[in-house]
Amino acid sequence: MKIDLIAGARPNFMKIAPIIDAIHNAQKVGDNINYRLIHTGQHYDKNMSDSFFEQLSIPEPNVNLGAGGGSHAEQTASIMIGYEKLLISEKPDLCLVVGDVTSTMACSIVAQKFQVTVAHVEAGIRSGDWTMPEEINRLVTDSITNYFFTTTHEASINLKNSGIGKERIHLVGNTMIDTLLKHRTRFQKPIVWDKLNLSKGAYMVMTLHRPGNVDEEGKLKLLINEIISHSNNLPIIFPVHPRTEKILQKTGIHNNRLHMIEPLGYLEFNYLVENAKAVITDSGGITEETTVMGIPCMTLRNNTERPETVNVGTNELIGTNPKAIKPAMEKLFSGNWKKGSIPELWDGKSAERIVSILLKIFLIDK
Ligand code: UD1
């Protein structure tokens, strides 16, 4: 069988890497499975893309659609045009998309219109918040997906409740965690560690990039100032996403304890997280990683598509009101943050499960 693997933006790369490993392992035992790796180009900076390919040993993409930049509509259109051209020249048996980024949605639409079967990894998660572009991407992708691979029971139930037959839904666990567990012993001290003389448990890590938090200069400034004021004099390491960087340049925020640095590589970022006192973020994926590493995580959002990180893991939804920062920090520094545990099947074997299910579907059932 031939699979198109779609990867476009930073959070896709760690989800696709273990699937490629699992395909290579299947090939080694003689299974008839091949892939073409397609990078849409949605993320294109070295530190948003190339470094992940190097560190996670992801092979060079077979195709790069070069569709980065522009508005969401422009990005979607240019990914669709690029992928359509590819499908005209060669159609695979399956298009496999991961996560919830613009590339996920754009390629699933094109594939389905070419009658190429679509599989979605990380299907069924829902925040219920239609103001988030990712929620729209999830809804559209799942409405035209043939095979659904889910990270939790809850995601499977969301799909069943939307009328999808259970024979098309496979609970496999979390491929992002496959990557985390595989590389955990290789995490690397980032340069900032020695430069700032950091030590375990004596600093915080912050990431912010959601349009709702960062696109409005005044709101971003308020949030950051509140975090600085209540973080118990600890240094805050803030690897800044390009979207946030554009706004930060205008706000002129400066503080001795706030260390704004370029986006880090995967191994360096997770070294920082694993040794931090806590993480403050508006990312979804990071809440899964902190859950597995047992690090307290404050999420600056009012909802989450990953409720297991709150119900089972170490994550708490703080909301986006700056006033919520102080009580959350007090809870952390008084030692009362919950301990958490690891969700079922987040065991490093999810990609293996996906590939063996696909082989069964395509080589035996068809
Ligand atoms: C995207 C994903 C989001 C994910 C995030 C992680 C969507 C809708 N959102 O958001 O789910 O959590 O990535 O990183 O797909 N830019 C650069 N260099 C790059 C990449 C982007 O300068 O390498 C710029 C873009 O030109 C744009 C801005 O950053 O101006 C935002 O990029 P975009 O891909 O639209 O969405 P993200 O905010 O990165």
Side-chain angles (χ1 to χ4, degrees), residues 167-181:
E167 68 290 349
R168 292 202 281 144
I169 305 169
H170 304 275
L171 171 62
V172 291
N174 193 326
T175 60
M176 193 159 177
I177 300 307
D178 289 4
T179 293
L180 187 81
L181 297 178

Side-chain angles (χ1 to χ4, degrees), residues 47-259:
N47 51 21
M48 296 292 286
S49 176
D50 298 1
S51 86
F52 289 80
F53 278 73
E54 283 157 31
Q55 293 194 335
L56 304 179
S57 305
I58 304 174
E60 186 83 7
N62 300 86
V63 183
N64 191 320
L65 302 179
S71 69
H72 278 197
E74 286 166 334
Q75 215 172 59
T76 306
S78 116
I79 296 168
M80 288 180 72
I81 293 165
Y83 189 42
E84 186 181 58
K85 284 189 183 139
L86 265 185
L87 290 190
I88 289 169
S89 67
E90 193 184 338
K91 250 170 70 163
D93 301 304
L94 177 80
C95 168
L96 184 144
V97 296
V98 299
D100 55 17
V101 302
T102 301
S103 305
T104 312
M105 175 187 74
C107 290
S108 63
I109 296 173
V110 177
Q112 201 55 263
K113 288 197 171 183
F114 272 73
Q115 290 158 34
V116 171
T117 303
V118 173
H120 183 201
V121 172
E122 201 187 89
I125 62 174
R126 297 286 182 270
S127 67
D129 179 355
W130 285 21
T131 66
M132 284 176 63
E134 292 81 0
E135 185 72 356
I136 309 300
N137 296 340
R138 291 177 198 122
L139 288 163
V140 173
T141 304
D142 283 345
S143 69
I144 51 169
T145 286
N146 301 92
Y147 297 105
F148 301 84
F149 294 105
T150 62
T151 49
T152 60
H153 277 295
E154 187 142 3
S156 298
I157 289 167
N158 289 339
L159 293 167
K160 281 178 201 156
N161 288 347
S162 70
I164 292 155
K166 63 178 189 314
E167 68 290 349
R168 292 202 281 144
I169 305 169
H170 304 275
L171 171 62
V172 291
N174 193 326
T175 60
M176 193 159 177
I177 300 307
D178 289 4
T179 293
L180 187 81
L181 297 178
K182 177 177 174 191
H183 295 279
R184 201 166 178 182
T185 53
R186 296 180 54 230
F187 290 168
Q188 285 169 17
K189 263 186 205 175
I191 291 169
V192 70
W193 185 273
D194 288 331
K195 203 169 152 196
L196 298 178
N197 210 4
L198 298 178
S199 58
K200 192 172 171 62
Y203 63 92
M204 300 181 79
V205 176
M206 176 161 84
T207 81
L208 296 174
H209 76 279
R210 296 256 164 239
N213 282 334
V214 306
D215 282 2
E216 217 182 286
E217 201 181 315
K219 181 170 183 197
L220 180 62
K221 204 167 179 173
L222 261 178
L223 267 178
I224 294 180
N225 281 335
E226 207 58 19
I227 290 165
I228 295 170
S229 304
H230 300 291
S231 45
N232 222 18
N233 286 321
L234 292 184
I236 299 163
I237 317 302
F238 183 15
V240 182
H241 184 282
R243 165 191 282 282
T244 317
E245 168 70 21
K246 287 175 196 159
I247 323 284
L248 276 176
Q249 278 170 1
K250 293 190 224 151
T251 63
I253 293 180
H254 286 290
N255 185 283
N256 289 344
R257 284 194 293 109
L258 179 67
H259 302 282

